[in-house]
């Protein structure tokens, strides 16, 4: 799946089962994203199923990298 500008779509899997496809992701204590249909939202990192998100994107060869300071401990 690719965005119009050729950017890969990152899949975000949340712990509640929700999934979003996003070509743009920003970080600042929360994950801010713009969906493929133009919606904008943010989610606290603890709501993200990081293991599933990483697996979904790795299976599609889409990198999902967060700065070390953004990863919850």
């Amino acid at each position: 799946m690719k965005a119009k500008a050729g950017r890969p779509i990152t899949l975000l899997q949340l712990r509640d089962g929700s999934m979003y496809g996003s070509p743009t992701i920003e970080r600042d204590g929360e994950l801010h994203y713009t969906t493929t249909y133009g919606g904008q939202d943010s989610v606290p990192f603890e709501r993200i199923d990081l293991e599933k998100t990483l697996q979904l994107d790795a299976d599609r060869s889409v990198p999902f990298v967060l700065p070390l300071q953004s990863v919850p401990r």
Side-chain angles (χ1 to χ4, degrees):
M1 199 183 292
K2 296 251 185 197
K4 288 181 184 177
R7 292 176 126 175
I9 301 295
T10 299
L11 295 179
L12 301 173
Q13 178 72 53
L14 303 186
R15 294 182 188 273
D16 68 3
S18 302
M19 183 185 299
Y20 299 97
S22 177
T24 58
I25 294 178
E26 301 173 18
R27 308 143 191 99
D28 70 358
E30 289 191 324
L31 189 112
H32 298 267
Y33 59 92
T34 302
T35 65
T36 55
Y37 52 86
Q40 295 183 347
D41 206 349
S42 63
V43 63
F45 287 109
E46 56 270 2
R47 287 194 51 214
I48 299 170
D49 185 334
L50 191 55
E51 185 176 333
K52 185 70 173 173
T53 294
L54 291 171
Q55 186 62 54
L56 286 167
D57 290 317
D59 289 348
R60 299 169 42 251
S61 299
V62 174
F64 183 82
V65 179
L66 295 173
L68 190 54
Q69 68 270 22
S70 295
V71 177
R73 295 176 189 210

